[in-house]
Every structure is written in C-alpha cells, then in structure tokens.
Amino acid sequence: QVQLKESGGGLVETGGSLRLSCVVSGRTSATYTMGWFRQAPGKEREFAAAIFWSGGGTYYGDSVKGRFIIFRDYAKNTVFLQMNSLKPEDTAVYYCAARAGVMVTRTRGSFSSWGQGTQVTVSS
C-alpha cells in the first residue's frame, strides 16, 4: 500500500490552467500505475489519466485527451496533472490513485490506493 496526498486544486476561469500534484509515500514500486480520477457532484467517478511509474507511458480519458498532461518526477516521488483549456464541465474533486502492476485500465476498481481529493472549480 502507498499513501497519496493531492494538492493544487482551486478556482480558475474557463480557458485557464491548473497543475495538480500527488505526493507518493510508503511502499512504492517501479511497477506501479498512477492515475487521476475525478468526480463531479451527482456523477460517477471518472477516469482522467494514468502513467506507468517506471516506463512513463501514459493514457487518457476521452474527455481530457489533448488538454491534460500527466507526468511524474522520480526525485520528488510526485505525479502531476497539468490541466489546460479548462471548461466548466471539468469542475470536480480530483483524486490520485495507485495500483500495483503495469496495466492499461480506466476502471476505478482496478486502483487500490486513493488520496483524499482536491477540489477544482472552473467558472464560466
């Protein structure tokens, strides 16, 4: 198990940018897959992006592809989500997640460790 702590959320105008951070601690492994999910009020938790901790390969959900970028910093044990061209529909609580093993999956249940979440609000 790893511990995850998100930060960087806030209020931004439509078209603006935010960068979320997720600090990873505990029994980290090179074979982890790190992900970002989001959940808007009254909606299901939705996959946004994921990265393979060791190889750096990435994949994205359709709703954020081309606007969001996920990347990691080994030295800081941190995963980032750079969010550009933000829209009001991006408003949600954003969660960092981790799973052991390298696997392309967009399913919430595939990730075993979760952070507390950070609120992102995009004003119109």
Side-chain angles (χ1 to χ4, degrees):
Q1 285 282 345
V2 296
Q3 292 77 50
L4 309 172
K5 177 63 177 176
E6 307 97 333
S7 62
L11 174 64
V12 64
E13 293 183 347
T14 296
S17 297
L18 275 177
R19 179 177 292 182
L20 305 183
S21 301
C22 173
V23 177
V24 184
S25 60
R27 294 187 61 184
T28 56
S29 166
T31 60
Y32 266 70
T33 299
M34 304 298 302
W36 285 96
F37 286 73
R38 64 187 188 180
Q39 188 164 16
K43 294 190 176 181
E44 294 289 320
R45 194 166 295 190
E46 174 191 28
F47 171 80
I51 186 168
F52 302 136
W53 186 253
S54 59
T58 61
Y59 56 100
Y60 296 88
D62 290 341
S63 60
V64 308
K65 195 177 300 183
R67 299 187 298 123
F68 290 11
I69 302 170
I70 186 172
F71 60 100
R72 83 275 193 254
D73 185 324
Y74 275 133
K76 297 181 179 179
N77 257 13
T78 302
V79 177
F80 300 92
L81 185 67
Q82 177 66 41
M83 305 186 296
N84 302 318
S85 302
L86 283 162
K87 308 173 183 179
E89 50 264 45
D90 294 318
T91 295
V93 177
Y94 283 71
Y95 296 92
C96 182
R99 60 155 288 131
V102 176
M103 179 179 178
V104 175
T105 175
R106 295 172 173 82
T107 305
R108 173 182 179 178
S110 297
F111 290 79
S112 56
S113 298
W114 293 86
Q116 296 287 336
T118 185
Q119 176 71 46
V120 171
T121 303
V122 184
S123 63
S124 57

